Amino acid sequence: MAVGFAQWGNDLYTGRRSYDIVGRRRTWYLISAVIVLLSAVLLIKPGLNPGIEFRGGSQFVVSGVSTTDQTLAADVVSEVAPEEAPRVTTVGGSALRIQTLALDEARLAEAQKALAEAFDVPVENVASSFVGPSWGKDVTQKALNGLLVFLALVTVVMTLYFRNWRMAAAALIALFHDLIITVGIYAAVGWEVTPATVIGFLTILGYSIYDTVVVFDKVRENTADVLDQTRYTYAEKANLAVNQTLVRSINTSVVALLPVSAILFIGAFLLGAGTLRDIALALFIGMAVGTFSSIFLATPAEVTLREREPKIIEHTAKVLAARTAAEGSPEGAPVAPAVVHVGQLRPGAHLGSAAQPKRRKSGKK
């Protein structure tokens, strides 16, 4: 299987096997637009579920319990504060976390005592705390500031590095695509948005940009001399780059998603609500969506922007006209996209002298 996968990657790199990803970009645009639209709807209904750090309130953590009956905990707190709607989550296998709106000191102590009696634990096992909403506002503001600075730096650096603002624009499109879908799916799951979730959202921005830059680097390499030849169009050269980096993107994503999946499993099913679960879910969704966008959205978007340049338009028309003349097709007839081929590779070995042109033997014409 490993040999077959390596051969598949080798065929993609050389062009022996090719998927017309760039040519079918309208399909990917439609899929992305539908998913982004659904994510936007999810952000409105049901919307994000802010944690206590962002909305403020009182929190109890009952540890060392023999039962994790959430209904019992909710009923006990509701008896002390009937107007409240407590949120109860299981933490690990022997603790419960109960969150309510802010309670005064008297009701805080009464609820603490009632929880201890209900779960038959010492009062010391019921920890109470109050979290003000200002802390969450401060975290949100800093996260937004960090996001704006990050986007500005990414735009400048990518424009300078690739010497073309269109690659930076395409990378930002892919980045917003990843962020909106990740936040939308997180809203659909209904888990609380905690500071760990925000960290996860910001982390996937870096992953998305990194994966896109690797593909763009290959696009720049393949298209460096595109105007000096009339055999392939810019889109066909860029499509080769996507195929050449396809195996690398899959391998990187699998390697990154495996440990995140393990953390998500541990956080969700073994430890219950907590930092691990929140950050792992954001990372898992973001990495999976980032892999999709780096292959099916970033480069196609970059090609769409580049094909608006006059010199690319003129070159594409010249290539298609030459191809039509060579095939003897009527002028204006649709021409099938060509598959770009490069030198044959041998997996795990250098070509060496085998890649050099064969010298004719003397006496032969």
Side-chain angles (χ1 to χ4, degrees):
M1 183 176 177
V3 175
F5 187 73
Q7 184 60 50
W8 180 64
N10 186 44
D11 291 347
L12 289 174
Y13 192 90
T14 59
R16 179 183 296 174
R17 186 194 301 262
S18 178
Y19 301 105
D20 190 16
I21 296 173
V22 173
R24 296 177 180 173
R25 52 185 178 271
R26 290 184 179 178
T27 303
W28 317 130
Y29 292 164
L30 180 61
I31 293 173
S32 295
V34 170
I35 299 176
V36 167
L37 186 61
L38 288 175
S39 301
V41 172
L42 289 172
L43 287 175
I44 299 172
K45 187 69 178 180
L48 290 171
N49 179 19
I52 192 172
E53 296 85 356
F54 296 97
R55 55 183 166 80
S58 299
Q59 175 174 283
F60 303 92
V61 176
V62 187
S63 57
V65 297
S66 57
T67 175
T68 56
D69 187 354
Q70 298 185 1
T71 305
L72 175 61
D75 291 343
V76 169
V77 176
S78 296
E79 288 178 3
V80 177
E83 73 281 8
E84 300 291 341
R87 301 181 181 185
V88 184
T89 51
T90 303
V91 182
S94 61
L96 287 169
R97 185 175 66 185
I98 305 101
Q99 297 178 341
T100 70
L101 295 178
L103 299 177
D104 54 37
E105 289 292 335
R107 291 200 296 177
L108 198 68
E110 186 179 353
Q112 190 174 7
K113 184 179 178 181
L115 285 170
E117 291 177 353
F119 286 94
D120 194 20
V121 295
V123 178
E124 294 75 18
N125 283 24
V126 184
S128 62
S129 59
F130 172 76
V131 181
S134 59
W135 189 87
K137 288 182 180 178
D138 187 47
V139 171
T140 305
Q141 187 61 47
K142 288 181 178 178
L144 291 176
N145 292 340
L147 178 62
L148 293 176
V149 172
F150 174 78
L151 294 178
L153 288 176
V154 164
T155 304
V156 173
V157 172
M158 290 193 68
T159 302
L160 294 176
Y161 180 71
F162 291 110
R163 299 180 183 84
N164 195 308
W165 63 267
R166 291 168 181 82
M167 283 192 169
L172 291 181
I173 291 172
L175 190 149
F176 279 114
H177 166 273
D178 299 345
L179 186 61
I180 291 175
I181 293 178
T182 303
V183 177
I185 295 177
Y186 201 95
V189 173
W191 288 0
E192 286 188 343
V193 177
T194 63
T197 310
V198 176
I199 294 172
F201 289 157
L202 296 178
T203 303
I204 63 172
L205 301 180
Y207 180 85
S208 175
I209 287 294
Y210 167 75
D211 214 29
T212 302
V213 166
V214 171
V215 181
F216 280 179
D217 224 15
K218 197 64 183 174
V219 172
R220 182 179 64 167
E221 178 185 332
N222 286 357
T223 59
D225 60 346
V226 67
L227 299 179
D228 300 330
Q229 51 83 44
T230 56
R231 191 173 179 184
Y232 303 115
T233 64
Y234 183 90
E236 291 163 351
K237 287 265 192 177
N239 189 66
L240 173 65
V242 179
N243 280 273
Q244 288 177 325
T245 54
L246 192 58
V247 171
R248 177 251 163 222
S249 295
I250 294 173
N251 287 339
T252 304
S253 302
V254 170
V255 170
L257 285 175
L258 282 177
V260 174
S261 304
I263 296 172
L264 180 60
F265 178 81
I266 293 172
F269 298 104
L270 300 182
L271 299 181
T275 303
L276 279 182
R277 190 191 73 167
D278 299 338
I279 195 171
L281 179 63
L283 289 177
F284 185 85
I285 300 170
M287 287 181 176
V289 176
T291 303
F292 172 84
S293 69
S294 65
I295 297 172
F296 297 99
L297 184 61
T299 303
E302 192 268 344
V303 171
T304 299
L305 293 174
R306 290 299 304 270
E307 286 187 336
R308 296 176 182 274
E309 293 182 45
K311 59 183 180 182
I312 299 296
I313 295 175
E314 183 182 350
H315 176 263
T316 302
K318 189 186 300 181
V319 172
L320 296 181
R323 198 174 296 170
T324 302
E327 295 177 357
S329 303
E331 189 174 353
V335 179
V339 177
V340 185
H341 292 85
V342 297
Q344 182 64 31
L345 297 178
R346 294 174 184 171
H350 292 288
L351 288 176
S353 58
Q356 301 302 318
K358 302 298 182 185
R359 179 179 297 177
R360 290 183 177 179
K361 294 183 179 180
S362 59
K364 289 189 176 181
K365 296 182 179 180

